Amino acid sequence: LRFIFQLRAMFALSSFFVFPLILLPGTCVCQLQLLWHDTMDDYPAHWASTGAGISASNDMTNCASSACVEIKGFVNSEDWLIRTTALPLIPNLHRFSSFLLQFDVTLANIESENACLVQYKYDTDATYSTLASLSSPDRKLRNETRSISLNGHNLNHSQVLYIKLETDGDSSSGNDYCYFDNVYLFGHVLENNIILRDTLDAASTTASSWVVSNTQSVAFLDSSAYCSSGGCAEIRGYGGLENAMSRAIAGIDEYFDIFVEFDVHLVDMEEENACQVLYRYAGDEFRLLWSMAGGNGDVSSLKNVVSIPLNPQHAKDANVLHLKLNNNGDSSSGGDFCYFDDIAVKGTLLNDTNRAQHLIDVYAQNNAHKAHVIIIGDIGGQDSAPYYTSHQVTTAAMLSTIAALYNISGFISLGDNIYNSGVRDEFDPRFVYTFENIYYHTNILHLPWFFTTGNHDYGLNITGQVEYSKHSERWNFPSLYYTKSWYFG
């Protein structure tokens, strides 16, 4: 199966590191996200250079570490290094108030008319802006920091940030030296605001805060061995009942990048049951946000952090978010337990700097001209009754959530469509039990699936999966070898 597409990769340049809060002159109290760090030991791997006067150095007198880069300053010559950073590859770029560059530099034989220069520009700028111009006397500077402004730059048009290290010297023999070491680029992350925090203790939770589906299922405890700290909310899973509690959070339209943090403890939960978190905005239906199934004994899942998708109704001024904590247990005696504790909803407060970017994000999400497909594998249930798994049920609900948010055009199955040995023929009831009756939600019911094979599909009769395409509008498997093309962008 071959796919033809244009795709802009959105992946992290590095791991997400959060540093302690710091206060810089003229900036907010922010967290720092490390975007990249270069020890300069192997500078040619990441930096373009003019070449002649630039070399690696092991001079411990001038390097801040065991090795650095030496830039000599020749008269009538440009002696510099440039590193580029692709802005579209930076995650959550719109959350930054600025960039921060940190570096070590040693000045050697630099006269008053010479300088070690650190400059930057965006690809939409005509010239470089100077961050640091360091002249005599000779000295060793460590942990120098400079802020790179985002103001005035439309980052939807700017694609590249350039960092330039230069020796502005005038020696005929290149005897003006700048030694650069340990260069870091950070993003200033706007501080997250706490929209809601609830310990779910009986003493601190009012009856009006949460709407309880039924008092038989939900109880607020002063203390329990299954609470993270103090009390928590106990939701018991009764078969035939809705076992849930929900609450509304107003004023949500003043925030973006919203996420929820919580603790949950699963006790006596079976594999087909799960503790779940759902959400909806005003005027919308509840959608599955997070789910953890039982079957692995009593489990504590602490400090969960789950991002809440952008409000698709934002343009219609829907400003209320609803959260639901749910236990889909089926015990006749309520013997399935979910203990929720320490829930917090956080987000970034909209301001004049980020509001325009946020509105662009809203438009992009709701843009009907974009095409998206979901690629998924191992959807094939199990080969004994009921021929599906609880994980399938959870996944199907999440697929419905994603399909509604991102205008999904279809699905690609990577194989193992029917566990454990495929089907007998095109009339095998496994198609109904394992596929049709599971992926039935409204938002995905009429979307096409395109199938490839896995090793488990070949056990019985692989031709049966191909022939079933004649009996289902959604199941598309015209041949064992075929081409389907989508065009993105």
Side-chain angles (χ1 to χ4, degrees):
L1 184 61
R2 181 166 59 99
F3 307 100
I4 303 172
F5 59 92
Q6 297 173 349
L7 180 64
R8 172 178 292 175
M10 301 297 287
F11 54 87
L13 298 182
S14 67
S15 300
F16 188 99
F17 295 95
V18 178
F19 290 78
L21 294 180
I22 64 171
L23 183 63
L24 297 173
T27 69
C28 62
V29 176
C30 297
Q31 292 178 325
L32 295 181
Q33 178 178 332
L34 177 62
L35 301 179
W36 53 258
H37 166 223
D38 201 325
T39 62
M40 308 303 288
D41 296 4
D42 183 25
Y43 71 88
H46 302 290
W47 298 77
S49 72
T50 49
I54 301 172
S55 62
S57 174
N58 297 313
D59 184 351
M60 293 294 292
T61 302
N62 294 309
C63 296
S65 60
S66 60
C68 61
V69 62
E70 173 192 85
I71 305 179
K72 297 179 179 180
F74 288 90
V75 66
N76 298 323
S77 174
E78 292 189 357
D79 308 293
W80 46 252
L81 292 171
I82 292 177
R83 177 162 177 165
T84 60
T85 301
L87 299 178
L89 302 187
I90 298 177
N92 300 317
L93 177 63
H94 58 279
R95 292 187 59 199
F96 295 162
S97 60
S98 63
F99 294 115
L100 181 73
L101 189 73
Q102 180 175 297
F103 58 92
D104 299 332
V105 62
T106 298
L107 288 66
N109 296 332
I110 296 294
E111 301 166 343
S112 59
E113 63 271 21
N114 309 132
C116 296
L117 297 176
V118 180
Q119 299 177 307
Y120 82 96
K121 75 168 186 174
Y122 295 95
D123 57 325
T124 49
D125 296 331
T127 59
Y128 278 91
S129 298
T130 299
L131 291 173
S133 180
L134 306 168
S135 297
S136 63
D138 290 352
R139 50 202 158 128
K140 299 177 181 179
L141 301 173
R142 301 295 180 258
N143 300 321
E144 289 290 298
T145 56
R146 298 293 188 275
S147 182
I148 299 175
S149 174
L150 296 181
N151 295 334
H153 290 90
N154 184 342
L155 295 183
N156 288 298
H157 294 154
S158 299
Q159 300 291 305
V160 181
L161 171 65
Y162 296 85
I163 303 295
K164 184 178 184 181
L165 310 178
E166 181 176 4
T167 299
D168 182 16
D170 59 3
S171 171
S172 60
S173 57
N175 287 330
D176 304 323
Y177 299 92
C178 298
Y179 295 87
F180 286 96
D181 203 353
N182 295 324
V183 183
Y184 294 81
L185 182 66
F186 299 93
H188 267 153
V189 182
L190 294 170
E191 186 178 8
N192 291 312
N193 294 268
I194 298 175
I195 306 169
L196 165 73
R197 170 160 284 164
D198 197 332
T199 61
L200 298 177
D201 298 354
S204 61
T205 303
T206 63
S208 59
S209 298
W210 293 87
V211 177
V212 175
S213 60
N214 66 84
T215 56
Q216 183 180 2
S217 299
V218 181
F220 296 100
L221 308 178
D222 288 315
S223 64
S224 170
Y226 301 112
C227 298
S228 298
S229 58
C232 59
E234 175 192 78
I235 306 179
R236 307 179 67 173
Y238 286 92
L241 295 178
E242 181 183 14
N243 310 295
M245 50 188 280
S246 63
R247 70 175 293 170
I249 305 169
I252 209 73
D253 54 339
E254 290 301 315
Y255 298 88
F256 70 111
D257 281 347
I258 301 169
F259 59 93
V260 58
E261 299 176 349
F262 59 94
D263 296 343
V264 65
H265 302 258
L266 286 69
V267 178
D268 295 334
M269 296 290 287
E270 300 168 343
E271 186 181 34
E272 61 270 20
N273 308 134
C275 299
Q276 300 175 326
V277 179
L278 300 92
Y279 79 100
R280 72 175 179 89
Y281 291 98
D284 202 357
E285 62 181 12
F286 272 109
R287 294 170 177 164
L288 184 64
L289 182 67
W290 179 93
S291 181
M292 175 173 280
N296 295 309
D298 296 349
V299 176
S300 295
S301 181
L302 306 180
K303 307 304 178 188
N304 300 285
V305 179
V306 187
S307 179
I308 299 176
L310 200 66
N311 183 0
Q313 303 295 326
H314 198 287
K316 301 178 183 178
D317 297 324
N319 64 350
V320 179
L321 170 69
H322 297 260
L323 281 183
K324 178 187 286 189
L325 310 180
N326 185 62
N327 182 338
N328 71 352
D330 57 3
S331 171
S332 59
S333 59
D336 305 321
F337 297 88
C338 298
Y339 293 89
F340 286 94
D341 203 355
D342 294 335
I343 189 168
V345 178
K346 299 180 181 181
T348 302
L349 189 65
L350 287 167
N351 56 38
D352 291 339
T353 301
N354 59 37
R355 188 179 299 273
Q357 177 60 46
H358 175 59
L359 294 177
I360 291 171
D361 289 345
V362 173
Y363 172 79
Q365 179 173 289
N366 295 329
N367 185 351
H369 298 293
K370 285 195 171 183
H372 301 83
V373 296
I374 293 176
I375 302 176
I376 187 172
D378 301 331
I379 69 167
Q382 62 187 29
D383 59 0
S384 59
Y387 305 110
Y388 63 85
T389 68
S390 61
H391 303 296
Q392 267 190 290
V393 174
T394 299
T395 300
M398 187 61 75
L399 292 178
S400 179
T401 296
I402 296 171
L405 288 173
Y406 296 103
N407 189 31
I408 297 300
S409 299
F411 299 90
I412 301 165
S413 175
L414 300 180
D416 289 351
N417 309 315
I418 304 290
Y419 279 115
N420 195 30
S421 302
V423 296
R424 293 190 301 273
D425 54 38
E426 63 193 275
F427 304 104
D428 196 311
R430 287 293 305 280
F431 288 113
V432 175
Y433 296 141
T434 303
F435 177 73
E436 302 288 358
N437 287 354
I438 301 301
Y439 306 101
Y440 67 89
H441 298 73
T442 302
N443 298 323
I444 61 175
L445 182 59
H446 301 292
L447 296 180
W449 289 68
F450 296 89
F451 290 89
T452 61
T453 58
N455 59 309
H456 286 279
D457 297 310
Y458 281 90
L460 293 174
N461 179 7
I462 186 59
T463 305
Q465 292 195 30
V466 174
E467 294 300 316
Y468 184 67
S469 301
K470 302 175 182 177
H471 307 287
S472 173
E473 294 182 355
R474 299 193 294 163
W475 187 285
N476 292 274
F477 202 168
S479 171
L480 293 179
Y481 300 93
Y482 67 99
T483 298
K484 175 65 183 176
S485 300
W486 281 279
Y487 293 88
F488 295 79

